[in-house]
Amino acid sequence: MPTKKNEVNEMTRSGFERLTEELTHLRTVRRQEVARQLEEARAFGDLSENAEYAAAKEEQAKLEDRISDLEIILSKVTVIDDEKLDTTRAGVGLRITLEDLDVEGKIYTYDLVGSEELSGAAVSAGGIQRISQKSPVGQAITGHSIGEEVTVKIPRGFRKLKIIAIEK
């Protein structure tokens, strides 16, 4: 989901670098690939009835849309300084461990990330699930401290969670 015009989002350094690398790849490698596809499709002749050309043009439009989205996202993002992260309150860039108070013994550990960082893999290094700060759980825990309980609205009702650890 692209960033709204005036909205500034927080993002981890690794998320920023990943999106910057994606943008560079799209601007260079992918644009050249799509240009080659268009050139090959033109060689088939009449463009009005050329399915290959229409498919290549559609691919080009999707590529340019993604490039535009990434440019907007990266221009309006605040990169979180890992050294200045405050582990007293849940926030972007931190690993949060939660106890599900509705299910005895159920523990969840999440890396809380900026909403724009989830366009790639859903699991971070080490097998820890990443969740967006704008997800229901992310919104509920952001700003809360260890020991605090929060209630999260989920599709099947509500869940009561307790923050049991916050770490870098």
Side-chain angles (χ1 to χ4, degrees), residues 98 100 102-103 108 110 135-138 140 150-161:
L98 305 167
D100 189 331
D102 296 324
V103 180
Y108 304 98
Y110 299 114
S135 69
V137 172
V150 297
T151 301
V152 180
K153 185 177 187 314
I154 60 172
R156 297 179 314 257
F158 292 90
R159 243 313 123 56
K160 196 159 191 116
L161 304 171

Side-chain angles (χ1 to χ4, degrees), residues 8-85:
V8 176
N9 284 314
E10 293 181 317
M11 183 178 290
T12 62
R13 168 70 50 201
S14 64
F16 179 80
E17 289 170 358
R18 188 175 44 78
L19 291 182
T20 301
E21 287 172 13
E22 180 185 353
L23 179 59
T24 300
H25 176 78
L26 294 178
R27 283 178 172 164
T28 55
V29 177
R30 281 298 294 146
R31 268 188 178 155
Q32 289 176 356
E33 290 171 355
V34 170
R36 258 191 309 278
Q37 289 172 353
L38 281 167
E39 197 58 42
E40 289 172 9
R42 280 190 196 104
F44 290 122
D46 185 9
L47 299 182
S48 66
E49 295 183 17
N50 187 330
E52 289 83 2
Y53 182 77
K57 286 299 282 182
E58 185 177 326
E59 180 66 24
Q60 182 183 41
K62 288 178 186 177
L63 172 66
E64 294 305 324
D65 283 347
R66 180 64 179 157
I67 288 171
S68 177
D69 287 348
L70 286 171
E71 289 171 343
I72 291 168
I73 290 166
L74 292 171
S75 73
K76 298 192 179 302
V77 74
T78 299
V79 178
I80 302 299
D81 183 350
D82 293 342
E83 298 301 315
K84 295 181 181 175
L85 285 173

Side-chain angles (χ1 to χ4, degrees), residues 78-97:
T78 299
V79 178
I80 302 299
D81 183 350
D82 293 342
E83 298 301 315
K84 295 181 181 175
L85 285 173
D86 176 10
T87 57
T88 63
R89 300 209 173 274
V92 172
L94 296 171
R95 180 164 290 171
I96 316 299
T97 303

